[in-house]
Amino acid sequence: QVQLVESGGGLVPAGGSLRLSCAASGRTASLSTMGWFRQAPGEEREFVVAINRIGNTNYADSLKGRFTISEDNAKNTVYLQMNNLRPEDTAVYYCAARYSIGVPTERAQYNFWGQGTHVTVSS
């Protein structure tokens, strides 16, 4: 099994920045891809970004240019740098991981999920 733990959420004013972290533990040697989803109140969980072990990335089109994913394979950790945050970015951000090498956008393609970290952007 794999455990994912997110951190770094919080309250930030519009225009501010946050960096989220997701640390994987357990049977991490089998993981190929990690990513982020988010779920705003009353909304479906949506794809944000994913990265695989060879550095391929896939971003939600609407977030390109403001959000950046990076990884530290030695630490089994991925980071989500979020800049120029907007109130509509308010959501619970979930880390996800999968065994296969692709970087899909569909929730069902991911094998493991974290508990989520709250991000609130005030106007």
Side-chain angles (χ1 to χ4, degrees), residues 34-121:
M34 294 179 70
W36 292 94
F37 287 70
R38 69 182 185 181
Q39 188 166 15
E43 301 292 331
E44 294 289 320
R45 193 172 300 187
E46 66 174 0
F47 174 77
V48 175
V49 62
I51 187 168
N52 64 18
R53 286 194 176 273
I54 58 174
N56 294 330
T57 59
N58 186 12
Y59 286 87
D61 287 341
S62 62
L63 300 175
K64 288 179 180 177
R66 294 194 300 122
F67 287 19
T68 304
I69 193 170
S70 60
E71 62 184 349
D72 184 336
N73 288 333
K75 296 182 179 179
N76 294 310
T77 299
V78 294
Y79 305 95
L80 181 63
Q81 179 67 42
M82 306 186 294
N83 297 327
N84 191 21
L85 283 161
R86 304 167 181 168
E88 53 264 39
D89 294 318
T90 295
V92 178
Y93 284 72
Y94 294 92
C95 181
R98 62 184 246 127
Y99 291 126
S100 300
I101 196 67
V103 283
T105 64
E106 299 84 6
R107 290 174 53 185
Q109 297 295 321
Y110 290 81
N111 306 104
F112 303 100
W113 293 86
Q115 293 299 306
T117 186
H118 290 259
V119 172
T120 302
V121 184

Side-chain angles (χ1 to χ4, degrees), residues 1-3 25-31 99 112:
Q1 284 294 330
V2 171
Q3 295 77 44
S25 61
R27 302 181 67 176
T28 59
S30 300
L31 294 179
Y99 291 126
F112 303 100

